[in-house]
Amino acid sequence: MKEGQPQNIQRSEYTAPSHLIETTDLVVDINEDITTVKSVLKMSKNPAAESKAGSQDLVLDGGQDLETISIKVDGRELSSNEYSIEGEKLSLFDVPESFQLETSVAIKPQENTTLEGLYKSGGMFCTQCEAEGFRHITWYLDRPDVLSKFRTTVHANKKDYPILLSNGNDIERGEEGERHWVTWEDPFNKPAYLFALVAGDLECVEDQFTTMSGRDVKLQIFSEAHNIDKVGHGMTSLKNSMKWDEEAYGREYDLDIFMIVAVESFNMGAMENKGLNIFNTSCVLARPDTTTDAGYQRVEAVVGHEYFHNWSGNRVTCRDWFQLSLKEGFTVLRDQQFSAAMGSETVCRVNDVATLRAAQFPEDAGPMAHPIRPDSYIEINNFYTATVYEKGAEVVRMIRTILGENKFRLGTDLYFDRHDGQAVTTEDFVCAMEDANEINLEQFRRWYSQAGTPVVDALGEYDAEARTYTLTLAQSCPATPGQKNKQPFHMPITVGLLSSTGDDQALSITGDVIANKIRSASGEESVVLNFTQDKESFVFTDVPEAPVPSILRGFSAPVKLEYPYTRDDFMFLMSHDSDGFNRWEAGQRLAINVIQEMIANLQQAKAQPVEQSADIAVDQRLISAFASVLDQAIAAGKDPSFDRAMVAEMLILPSESYLAELMDVVDVDAIHQARERVRLEIATRLRPQLMTIYELCEGGYTYEATGSEIGRRDLRNIALSYLMQQGDDESVALCRKQFETAICMSDTAAAIRAVVNSSADAAVIVKSDLLETFYNRWENEALVIDLWFTMQAVCPLPGTLDTVKDLMAHPAFTLNNPNRLRSLIGAFAGQNNVNFHSVDGSGYEFLASQIIAVDAINPQIAARILGPLTRWGNYDTKRQALMKEQLNRILATENLSNNVFEIVSKSL
Ligand SMILES: [Zn+2]
């Protein structure tokens, strides 16, 4: 149990900082035992602060891990009655209006397992300061609205740490015997969370970029020597990002140097520190034989994301952490746009939405549901959520849809110009959009304050005589913690109407409804309906025949759409909708519809006094729909312009997590059984087509990370996974051959995964052999070994929990590396629904034990892997009781961190 009640911080209680810090001068002296940090801050009272009568006190943030050596004001050492240190606060009494504060502290980064502040990863020292890590390095006003110019000198042993990095430009360096030092100066004001420091024995790949105004920027990516052959793709992605941001947003890079450092032990994906991005190795390293295509795409997206933060985050930053979505939502949208520009727009959109549905919708429906701008938190690290990031991006995307591309750009230009160098709020962002375009987004602001996933019920009515089609939309939003009743949202709903031949009809709409017509490049027509009421009707005129509506094209709002489509409608939309996203969506909905019926049949049979065998025949319309998708791909032959990535997406059934999300009471076993049954039916009925695709999509001997090559491999590997569903000797032989001859990790991993997930005799015989070969081949590649752990952890076959427990004893396993921990424990709890939710509660007990163990080492990560246990409300009473029992066991643990305490207590 926690001692005392942790403090709940409220957004409404924001007050401006009492003091400002003009300059920050740091000297960090790194040693193996004690590292000292000397800080000289030029401070003054903040004229904007609400002056508390008579108070001239200054309160600084620090950590229990700081050992304070000295405190001086204007050069004079303070005596013990002039300050006090209580827990994580240093109070200085009666400080002058402006003064120089000099503190000196000792820290032990090598003992820091939380990976916040300064810590050691392998042989190098590095930092992570967002959100509140800087206070573990020195006493400071550690809040994003205190901006300062930093100058940092790093001292360390020359032999072990030849590379010493910090933000900005290096202006001076020198040597003293076995030690050396480098001074870095950052000309831009920044909050402490953007501070970074690295000391290590690193190699570097260098390149350069000329900005649109003609300035040359030096680009460097650093990694440990054994990884330096894997930074090429990151470098290409960086240059593409820099170019794209100039073209799409008119944003140019501002320093003379941009550095990325790859770090093995890192809590997050990557961090946008000014001029010195620090990356989890998993988000920057890529080499064909060690990295899957998804890994390549992730590198491109994350490199872009962190680079784009230089403007949306660094030049314009957040006033307080409640505004996190200001930088994250906007920047995720920017990285999504970038990925779309580099690859297939439709496939990117499909993936973005699939992620939103799998990660954010459950959050919105769970005990931790919060608006994209939360109202309170105990531990800010718990709010780096899919809601703040992914839904935040959807909200900014909706503004873009409402305004249109050009007006949106006017809005972002005004936002950057008006707030450059400031710490601002989401409100400032919305105001800039309004002011640049003379539009009122008052009602739209509810997306920032209301949690929950809205449901839109749509109904269409055709009047043949009047030649009108009336589309009636009704919206509602389920209650979420602290928010019982919701006000209607302002939603852009993009709609097209299909004729019986499958063509888009010309659209005209009556009434005073604002409807922007959009004509796509290929000439199809859609309108964007501004849907603002609880219930609203939109009348289309001059409609020659009853149409099939295509609603929510491009997923124009993050909602759940209900429309009484028939299975035949879905098949029609799948083959005719001009909107690629809705074509995919129709296929997904058809599959959901079919699987849900099978689930209901399974449950009914089970509920009989004597369990009966259920009718779980698969609706053959789904099989024909899949057949025609495959036939199209076969007809395209080897035509390189054919979008195989999209076909691959169409062939993937909705995930078990998303199917679970759609059920009131989740039945993990029935979901798994029904979905597997459909997979088997597809595999059996369509074997010839799948085999043809597999052969047709065979590649050459060189690896290319292009969209068309990735699409080819995706499609081929999906065909393989279906073929293996039957577990026959021929398919196992195909997997084996692919495993042995693959030239890239996507193909290697797909082959071994298909075997690992199969219970067929032929697969069982070769499984351990393949796993062993794989391990031995990649023993020294940490990221590949992560993959090796994950593929075993997510296997849906019985007995996987025992495998996971055995793997924890494997010499390559450690709780201290977040990637490794996530690859086994996180993957098991988060992706292996059937085994984690085993009705004997063993999965829950296992996760709870791991959370308790990890919390003592790294609270941030413990809190992150906790998610699956908190969603007990969606399960049957037996599982609910088992999950709550484990949550209570965690809560009863001594010295629980605020991170875990907040999530567990809120979820109970
Ligand atoms: Zn970010």
Side-chain angles (χ1 to χ4, degrees):
M1 213 49 113
K2 286 203 67 68
E3 284 179 30
Q5 199 60 20
Q7 201 192 349
N8 205 350
I9 299 161
Q10 307 285 336
R11 181 167 59 87
S12 56
E13 287 168 7
Y14 172 84
T15 53
S18 67
H19 291 75
L20 302 174
I21 307 177
E22 194 181 319
T23 59
T24 301
D25 203 327
L26 300 172
V27 178
V28 182
D29 199 347
I30 294 176
N31 294 284
E32 297 307 319
D33 48 356
I34 300 281
T35 291
T36 58
V37 182
K38 199 177 117 186
S39 140
V40 179
L41 310 178
K42 200 172 158 192
M43 303 193 74
S44 58
K45 206 161 168 28
N46 180 8
E50 294 162 37
S51 58
K52 288 180 202 129
S55 168
Q56 292 293 325
D57 294 354
L58 165 65
V59 181
L60 296 157
D61 307 300
Q64 310 267 22
D65 35 10
L66 299 184
E67 191 199 312
T68 305
I69 299 166
S70 79
I71 305 168
K72 292 178 185 169
V73 169
D74 289 329
R76 187 179 64 80
E77 181 94 37
L78 296 189
S79 58
S80 61
N81 61 351
E82 290 174 287
Y83 70 90
S84 76
I85 296 176
E86 275 170 44
E88 298 171 344
K89 300 282 178 201
L90 164 62
S91 305
L92 304 182
F93 311 131
D94 282 326
V95 292
E97 283 287 311
S98 60
F99 58 99
Q100 182 170 294
L101 172 66
E102 193 179 323
T103 62
S104 182
V105 300
I107 52 177
K108 293 180 177 170
Q110 69 281 2
E111 291 175 9
N112 178 359
T113 60
T114 66
L115 314 189
E116 267 187 296
L118 180 62
Y119 64 95
K120 209 166 177 193
S121 166
M124 74 169 105
F125 287 88
C126 61
T127 53
Q128 170 56 33
C129 293
E130 187 179 359
E132 296 176 337
F134 193 71
R135 62 186 63 184
H136 298 283
I137 298 174
T138 186
W139 293 107
Y140 207 74
L141 288 175
D142 188 7
R143 42 188 290 169
D145 57 352
V146 173
L147 285 77
S148 178
K149 284 201 171 59
F150 279 69
R151 184 188 165 103
T152 308
T153 304
V154 190
H155 294 254
N157 179 296
K158 215 167 21 185
K159 187 172 132 283
D160 298 327
Y161 309 101
I163 301 291
L164 305 174
L165 309 173
S166 191
N167 317 82
N169 304 307
D170 59 332
I171 53 167
E172 235 184 318
R173 55 179 67 227
E175 300 189 4
E176 309 145 335
E178 290 186 341
R179 298 178 66 77
H180 69 147
W181 55 271
V182 181
T183 300
W184 292 82
E185 193 171 67
D186 184 353
F188 291 94
N189 267 320
K190 68 165 175 287
Y193 84 87
L194 291 172
F195 171 81
L197 178 160
V198 171
D201 186 0
L202 303 171
E203 302 221 341
C204 166
V205 165
E206 201 168 304
D207 207 327
Q208 70 105 49
F209 180 83
T210 306
T211 69
M212 59 185 180
S213 71
R215 280 189 314 103
D216 287 334
V217 180
K218 181 158 80 174
L219 310 177
Q220 293 181 314
I221 302 186
F222 294 87
S223 79
E224 287 168 285
H226 64 277
N227 281 328
I228 200 68
D229 57 347
K230 302 186 195 82
V231 303
H233 179 62
M235 185 64 88
T236 307
S237 304
L238 175 60
K239 289 192 284 184
N240 289 341
S241 309
M242 297 177 86
K243 184 113 186 76
W244 182 85
D245 208 18
E246 291 183 347
E247 287 164 1
Y249 283 90
R251 299 294 117 196
E252 185 176 358
Y253 186 63
D254 48 14
L255 287 165
D256 298 334
I257 182 169
F258 187 90
M259 297 172 282
I260 289 177
V261 180
V263 172
E264 281 192 348
S265 292
F266 202 69
N267 282 345
M268 316 221 181
M271 179 62 210
E272 71 263 22
N273 318 297
K274 183 77 187 184
L276 177 57
N277 286 190
I278 296 183
F279 270 63
N280 188 318
T281 45
S282 71
C283 293
V284 64
L285 301 181
R287 202 177 67 192
D289 58 335
T290 59
T291 311
T292 62
D293 291 331
Y296 267 78
Q297 287 169 326
R298 184 164 153 82
V299 167
E300 182 178 78
V302 180
V303 167
H305 179 96
E306 305 309 330
Y307 173 74
F308 302 142
H309 267 316
N310 190 53
W311 276 96
S312 49
N314 301 3
R315 290 285 288 256
V316 183
T317 194
C318 301
R319 186 193 73 176
D320 54 72
W321 291 121
F322 295 104
Q323 318 297 330
L324 184 56
S325 200
L326 172 78
K327 75 177 179 80
E328 295 306 341
F330 185 24
T331 306
V332 170
L333 174 72
R334 276 149 61 68
D335 85 52
Q336 290 176 347
Q337 289 179 281
F338 170 62
S339 293
M342 296 294 115
S344 155
E345 193 172 344
T346 307
V347 171
C348 285
R349 191 65 189 133
V350 162
N351 287 323
D352 296 341
V353 174
T355 304
L356 186 83
R357 284 173 172 165
Q360 199 276 326
F361 280 18
E363 205 167 88
D364 244 348
M368 283 290 288
H370 53 276
I372 65 167
R373 182 190 57 203
D375 289 321
S376 71
Y377 61 75
I378 292 174
E379 172 54 62
I380 181 57
N381 283 315
N382 287 337
F383 284 83
Y384 284 74
T385 58
T387 298
V388 166
Y389 279 65
E390 268 72 34
K391 187 173 180 182
E394 293 298 325
V395 170
V396 183
R397 185 186 284 267
M398 282 191 285
I399 296 180
R400 181 164 153 265
T401 305
I402 290 169
L403 293 175
E405 192 81 43
N406 296 338
K407 288 182 171 178
F408 180 68
R409 173 66 191 273
L410 292 179
T412 59
D413 282 353
L414 178 62
Y415 169 72
F416 288 126
D417 291 349
R418 187 186 270 178
H419 298 296
D420 189 8
Q422 298 177 1
V424 302
T425 61
T426 55
E427 178 58 24
D428 292 315
F429 182 82
V430 178
C431 284
M433 293 293 150
E434 290 182 320
D435 295 349
N437 295 295
E438 290 173 7
I439 183 175
N440 183 337
L441 294 170
E442 200 49 50
Q443 186 184 349
F444 186 85
R445 283 173 170 78
R446 287 176 189 156
W447 286 105
Y448 286 90
S449 57
Q450 297 188 145
T453 307
V455 177
V456 173
D457 277 296
L459 268 181
E461 203 180 337
Y462 181 64
D463 182 335
E465 208 161 299
R467 289 162 63 91
T468 57
Y469 178 76
T470 305
L471 184 67
T472 302
L473 303 176
Q475 60 168 300
S476 60
C477 185
T480 47
Q483 296 186 336
K484 217 166 171 190
N485 298 310
K486 310 289 170 81
Q487 300 285 306
F489 290 92
H490 176 184
M491 306 174 181
I493 307 286
T494 306
V495 175
L497 300 180
L498 271 67
S499 71
S500 55
T501 52
D503 298 314
D504 276 306
Q505 303 189 2
L507 300 173
S508 56
I509 189 160
T510 59
D512 52 1
V513 177
I514 310 159
N516 317 308
K517 258 188 216 180
I518 324 174
R519 288 181 72 84
S520 72
S522 46
E524 293 92 7
E525 211 162 73
S526 303
V527 292
V528 182
L529 307 175
N530 268 299
F531 175 37
T532 57
Q533 311 294 316
D534 284 321
K535 191 171 181 181
E536 214 169 338
S537 288
F538 301 87
V539 182
F540 294 85
T541 55
D542 246 346
V543 183
E545 60 174 328
V548 176
S550 168
I551 308 171
L552 208 67
R553 283 185 159 174
F555 200 67
S556 60
V559 301
K560 293 182 184 175
L561 173 71
E562 305 284 351
Y563 181 90
Y565 285 116
T566 63
R567 289 185 188 173
D568 291 328
D569 288 338
F570 288 136
M571 293 188 67
F572 179 77
L573 288 167
M574 254 180 107
S575 45
H576 296 294
D577 201 325
S578 61
D579 182 70
F581 176 82
N582 266 5
R583 242 186 354 260
W584 171 78
E585 179 78 339
Q588 292 288 297
R589 283 168 171 251
L590 174 61
I592 288 167
N593 207 292
V594 169
I595 294 172
Q596 281 178 337
E597 188 185 60
M598 293 165 66
I599 292 170
N601 289 344
L602 280 166
Q603 290 179 324
Q604 220 171 34
K606 219 172 155 189
Q608 299 296 324
V610 181
E611 194 173 326
Q612 297 178 357
S613 66
D615 170 27
I616 51 168
V618 182
D619 184 336
Q620 291 304 305
R621 280 175 289 188
L622 181 62
I623 307 303
S624 353
F626 271 62
S628 68
V629 170
L630 286 169
D631 288 342
Q632 276 176 34
I634 292 168
K638 288 188 178 283
D639 176 4
S641 67
F642 182 74
D643 192 353
R644 289 178 186 79
M646 192 58 208
V647 173
E649 293 294 346
M650 304 275 301
L651 294 176
I652 299 173
L653 293 174
S655 67
E656 291 184 16
S657 304
Y658 185 47
L659 290 164
E661 220 278 308
L662 296 172
M663 288 183 84
D664 292 332
V665 179
V666 179
D667 186 338
V668 274
D669 299 314
I671 290 173
H672 181 68
Q673 207 182 329
R675 189 176 181 277
E676 287 297 294
R677 177 74 188 81
V678 174
R679 280 180 56 82
L680 182 63
E681 185 81 2
I682 292 167
T684 315
R685 300 263 171 185
L686 306 177
R687 188 169 180 93
Q689 288 99 317
L690 290 164
M691 197 60 95
T692 307
I693 289 283
Y694 185 75
E695 284 158 7
L696 197 60
C697 291
E698 188 169 357
Y701 296 97
T702 50
Y703 175 86
E704 281 176 75
T706 57
S708 87
E709 276 292 283
I710 291 174
R712 179 187 62 72
R713 282 187 291 271
D714 273 354
L715 181 54
R716 186 167 193 254
N717 287 326
I718 280 169
L720 182 66
S721 87
Y722 275 113
L723 289 169
M724 259 308 285
Q725 198 74 19
Q726 286 179 288
D728 55 296
D729 292 357
E730 188 190 15
S731 305
V732 174
L734 282 184
C735 286
R736 230 197 144 122
K737 185 169 166 229
Q738 176 164 323
F739 179 79
E740 279 155 10
T741 58
I743 58 156
C744 65
M745 184 47 77
S746 266
D747 289 346
T748 312
I752 188 167
R753 229 185 255 126
V755 172
V756 168
N757 289 340
S758 173
S759 59
D761 292 345
V764 173
I765 295 167
V766 296
K767 202 176 286 190
S768 53
D769 183 27
L770 292 193
L771 281 168
E772 199 185 320
T773 310
F774 186 92
Y775 183 84
N776 290 337
R777 195 187 297 167
W778 302 114
E779 201 175 0
N780 298 317
E781 295 289 346
L783 297 172
V784 185
I785 296 306
D786 289 339
L787 200 65
W788 182 78
F789 278 108
T790 297
M791 62 178 76
Q792 298 178 77
V794 302
C795 171
L797 300 176
T800 297
L801 178 57
D802 291 333
T803 310
V804 170
K805 287 178 177 168
D806 289 347
L807 284 170
M808 284 189 67
H810 192 282
F813 186 77
T814 166
L815 289 179
N816 286 313
N817 179 296
N819 287 357
R820 191 56 45 91
L821 177 69
R822 280 186 286 246
S823 76
L824 187 63
I825 299 166
F828 173 76
Q831 297 171 49
N832 196 335
N833 290 3
V834 267
N835 281 299
F836 175 66
H837 291 287
S838 166
V839 73
D840 64 3
S842 54
Y844 307 146
E845 202 212 337
F846 168 75
L847 181 62
S849 301
Q850 301 318 315
I851 285 164
I852 292 166
V854 175
D855 193 45
I857 301 168
N858 187 332
Q860 265 189 51
I861 298 296
R864 295 240 171 117
I865 57 172
L866 180 51
L869 259 188
T870 63
R871 308 215 175 98
W872 53 268
N874 305 334
Y875 293 86
D876 53 84
T877 47
K878 185 164 182 196
R879 285 184 172 91
Q880 286 196 4
L882 290 164
M883 289 166 100
K884 282 197 272 190
E885 186 189 326
Q886 295 305 323
L887 287 167
N888 279 312
R889 178 159 82 95
I890 297 172
L891 202 60
T893 307
E894 272 180 49
N895 300 319
L896 205 61
S897 69
N898 279 354
N899 306 57
V900 170
F901 173 80
E902 177 172 30
I903 294 182
V904 174
S905 58
K906 283 185 178 170
S907 72
L908 286 165

